[in-house]
């Protein structure tokens, strides 16, 4: 899963590439609509996926999914 979606809710630059990072910053500074979109989309995504409650819900869903798989197979016997 990708945590940052380029130009949707954040900017991605090549690792250790100062010029690429500089270009991303300049693009945000020169494009107020892009900056606003990044703020809005980033905040919406944070609320939907990264708050404590959203993270807890994700882990609980994962646990229930794994448990369902285990209960429907012989793996459950081993895990008990």
């Amino acid at each position: 899963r990708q945590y940052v979606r380029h130009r949707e809710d954040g900017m991605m630059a090549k690792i250790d590439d100062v010029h690429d990072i500089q270009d991303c910053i300049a693009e945000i500074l020169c494009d107020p609509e892009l900056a606003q979109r990044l703020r809005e989309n980033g905040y919406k995504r944070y609320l939907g996926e990264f708050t404590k409650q959203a993270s807890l819900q994700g882990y609980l869903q994962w646990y229930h999914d794994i448990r369902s798989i285990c209960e429907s197979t012989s793996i459950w016997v081993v895990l008990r």
Side-chain angles (χ1 to χ4, degrees):
R1 162 169 124 178
Q2 194 171 357
Y3 289 104
V4 175
R5 294 175 293 205
H6 187 64
R7 298 182 55 85
E8 289 182 43
D9 54 24
M11 299 293 279
M12 295 181 65
K14 296 175 188 139
I15 296 173
D16 296 329
D17 187 332
V18 175
H19 298 292
D20 200 28
I21 296 168
Q22 182 181 20
D23 290 344
C24 288
I25 293 169
E27 188 173 358
I28 293 168
L29 292 174
C30 292
D31 188 343
E33 290 177 9
L34 172 63
Q36 182 65 28
R37 185 173 68 245
L38 294 177
R39 277 192 300 273
E40 289 173 1
N41 291 342
Y43 188 64
K44 286 178 194 172
R45 189 152 185 231
Y46 160 75
L47 291 175
E49 297 180 36
F50 299 106
T51 62
K52 190 183 298 185
Q53 185 64 32
S55 295
L56 177 61
Q57 287 303 113
Y59 282 118
L60 287 173
Q61 184 61 52
W62 176 81
Y63 170 78
H64 290 297
D65 292 346
I66 295 298
R67 186 172 181 182
S68 295
I69 291 168
C70 290
E71 287 176 343
S72 66
T73 66
S74 60
I75 295 171
W76 185 249
V77 175
V78 175
L79 294 176
R80 284 189 188 168

